[in-house]
Amino acid sequence: MKVLDLRCTHAHGFEGWFASNEAFETQLASGLVECPVCGDTAIVKLLSAPRLNLGNAKAPVEAAPAAPSQMPAQQLSPEARWMRAVREVIAKTEDVGDRFAEEARKMHYGEAEERGIRGQATPEQTEALLDEGIAVMPLPIPAALKETLQ
Ligand SMILES: [Zn+2]
């Protein structure tokens, strides 16, 4: 088994496993070798030390292209992104607790300084605020994050 470092014309590097160099050349000539990223069949072989597949050899992951299924670990999950967004809102707003409706109203009518606030409001309060043209946004805070706040 031969592992070849290959590259398409769009500079996507990837590895191809072939029975032999000849097998690679044959498949390449038949257009059977294609880039796993873009499907390009204009593939060139890069010069590299030949490697044998010994079973316990390191998997050729480092050189693999970033296919969607192999996104880097630092890619955040939707949950993590949401947690970060919520944290940001929390960092930029003042917690007014259950005085939320009252404070939102004061700000709307110029009785209090305009600022970012967060707090609790009942569905009735929220509806009343919206009726008065006061923009409020529900912010479901993940339970895990809520615990760290208290
Ligand atoms: Zn490609």
Side-chain angles (χ1 to χ4, degrees):
M1 186 66 76
K2 265 196 139 28
V3 182
L4 301 176
D5 282 325
L6 307 174
R7 181 171 289 181
C8 78
T9 53
H10 301 105
H12 298 130
F14 61 98
E15 294 196 347
W17 295 49
F18 300 92
S20 64
N21 259 323
E22 292 69 43
F24 164 70
E25 299 293 347
T26 308
Q27 290 184 36
L28 182 65
S30 316
L32 296 174
V33 183
E34 61 176 41
C35 170
V37 179
C38 65
D40 193 351
T41 53
I43 304 299
V44 294
K45 185 172 70 176
L46 299 181
L47 289 177
S48 67
R51 268 179 285 174
L52 293 174
N53 178 19
L54 298 176
N56 61 352
K58 262 193 201 162
V61 170
E62 300 83 14
S69 60
Q70 297 170 311
M71 292 302 263
Q74 65 264 33
Q75 288 282 330
L76 293 171
S77 66
E79 290 79 16
R81 269 203 297 272
W82 173 239
M83 292 278 274
R84 198 164 64 174
V86 170
R87 270 204 191 90
E88 214 162 279
V89 169
I90 287 170
K92 287 178 184 161
T93 54
E94 180 191 334
D95 187 6
V96 295
D98 54 14
R99 291 184 297 111
F100 179 81
E102 190 188 325
E103 288 297 320
R105 202 165 269 128
K106 274 189 193 165
M107 279 178 358
H108 185 71
Y109 294 109
E111 295 163 23
E113 192 194 335
E114 285 270 358
R115 63 203 193 281
I117 59 168
R118 67 178 192 280
Q120 292 81 49
T122 63
E124 292 74 28
Q125 285 174 323
T126 305
E127 203 174 311
L129 288 170
L130 291 172
D131 277 349
E132 290 173 55
I134 302 170
V136 295
M137 205 178 71
L139 178 72
I141 295 178
L145 195 54
K146 221 177 237 172
E147 277 161 27
T148 67
L149 287 175
Q150 285 157 2

